Amino acid sequence: MKLNLNNPIVFFDLETTGTNISNDRIVELCYIKVYPNGDEESKSMRVNPEMHIPETSSAVHGIYDEDVADCPTFKQIARNLAAAIEGCDLAGFNSNRFDIPLLVEEFLRAGVEIDLTRRKFIDVQNIYHKMERRTLSAAYRFYCGKDLEDAHTALADTQATYEVLKAQLDKYSDELQNDVAFLADFSRMTNNVDFAGRMVYDENNVEVFNFGKYKGKPVAEVLRRDPGYYSWIMQGDFARNTKQILTQIRLREITR
């Protein structure tokens, strides 16, 4: 089924040095940009992470330090990449929990401003988990009837994710709407305040913490009652975007 689009949508996948959103870096990025008229363009690039790629990560994606030694850094490609995805909705496999938060961290680290707050995010893995609960390779076999060759390479995973979403729309045509806003809402597990999901909106649209001793407690209330909690987060191993949003909430409450 062809996607029903109002805006271009970018399917993307990252290969990284690890799974820590705050500290790990991108080593490969691939995207397929799909336009409302059905046209597609794709790009794959390797990135020098400016740090050692752990052997455990290389064993998964097959990218080693020497493979990216002469590649551009993320800072060198950030502005062009931001321009390429400007005005686009985003889609990926486990992208809401990992790829998007890590990508935002890379942009912040590079000093490149990019506003994704008005973009819609479709996480194909969440749709799959709600419907079948399996991995990308299994999803590709289940929905597309093919084995995923070169799994854990950005290009293969990105192409498979795009094909799986189209097949999901065909298979669940009575339950899923071919509409980016619907799919973004359906594939969201939590209504995140920050991209990493450390803070979420509750049923009353109030920002609450989503972790730790204050899980479920309103952020503004916690900042008033325990000011040291703000300092603890700002000094801790949390994503830059999380700290940025927390600071915005704190300043909003101070100026009220």
Side-chain angles (χ1 to χ4, degrees):
M1 180 182 290
K2 180 182 175 182
L3 295 182
N4 181 23
L5 303 175
N6 292 320
N7 303 310
I9 187 167
V10 172
F11 290 79
F12 78 105
D13 184 69
L14 306 178
E15 302 301 337
T16 64
T17 58
T19 58
N20 186 306
I21 292 171
S22 301
N23 298 322
D24 279 307
R25 311 292 289 271
I26 296 170
V27 298
E28 186 175 38
L29 183 150
C30 179
Y31 68 80
I32 299 172
K33 187 173 182 178
V34 185
Y35 291 88
N37 65 2
D39 288 348
E40 301 173 12
E41 64 181 52
S42 63
K43 189 165 187 177
S44 184
M45 61 194 85
R46 288 192 170 177
V47 181
N48 185 335
E50 301 180 276
M51 64 179 287
H52 171 60
I53 305 173
E55 285 71 19
T56 52
S57 297
S58 295
V60 174
H61 50 57
I63 302 172
Y64 295 83
D65 290 341
E66 57 269 25
D67 297 321
V68 293
D70 297 324
C71 294
T73 65
F74 187 85
K75 187 172 185 178
Q76 291 173 319
I77 67 169
R79 294 193 183 281
N80 286 339
L81 179 60
I85 66 176
E86 176 68 27
C88 299
D89 296 317
L90 298 175
F93 199 86
N94 193 35
S95 49
N96 283 3
R97 287 196 303 169
F98 182 71
D99 299 82
I100 288 174
L102 196 146
L103 182 63
V104 169
E105 285 298 291
E106 288 278 37
F107 277 122
L108 289 171
R109 191 180 292 115
V112 173
E113 292 288 335
I114 181 168
D115 184 7
L116 298 179
T117 58
R118 297 183 180 180
R119 303 287 59 132
K120 298 179 180 67
F121 308 127
I122 298 177
D123 192 324
V124 174
Q125 184 189 62
N126 286 346
I127 295 176
Y128 185 41
H129 283 179
K130 286 185 175 183
M131 296 297 187
E132 304 296 340
R133 301 183 183 277
R134 293 179 183 166
T135 64
L136 176 58
S137 295
Y140 194 58
R141 189 178 303 113
F142 182 84
Y143 289 110
C144 304
K146 297 180 281 187
D147 289 326
L148 178 54
E149 303 293 337
D150 299 321
H152 296 299
T153 63
L155 179 58
D157 287 358
T158 302
Q159 184 66 45
T161 299
Y162 176 34
E163 291 183 33
V164 165
L165 178 59
K166 292 190 289 184
Q168 286 173 330
L169 288 169
D170 286 327
K171 184 174 180 63
Y172 306 117
S173 58
D174 292 337
E175 302 168 74
L176 299 179
Q177 298 176 25
N178 189 355
D179 176 79
V180 169
F182 172 87
L183 293 170
D185 182 66
F186 186 84
S187 66
R188 185 177 62 222
M189 290 298 193
T190 57
N191 191 4
N192 291 355
V193 177
D194 61 317
F195 287 112
R198 293 291 190 167
M199 295 170 285
V200 298
Y201 292 102
D202 68 9
E203 63 277 7
N204 298 314
N205 207 36
V206 173
E207 302 114 335
V208 299
F209 283 111
N210 195 35
F211 72 101
K213 63 180 181 179
Y214 290 124
K215 184 173 182 178
K217 299 294 184 182
V219 175
E221 177 184 310
V222 171
L223 294 180
R224 284 195 302 270
R225 294 185 178 184
D226 186 359
Y229 201 61
Y230 171 80
S231 299
W232 175 73
I233 292 176
M234 296 304 290
Q235 295 169 13
D237 185 21
F238 292 90
R240 287 170 176 79
N241 175 252
T242 299
K243 296 176 181 179
Q244 183 183 58
I245 299 299
L246 184 64
T247 298
Q248 291 173 3
I249 295 172
R250 181 171 179 264
L251 292 174
R252 182 193 70 198
E253 294 303 310
I254 289 174
T255 55
R256 276 186 173 180

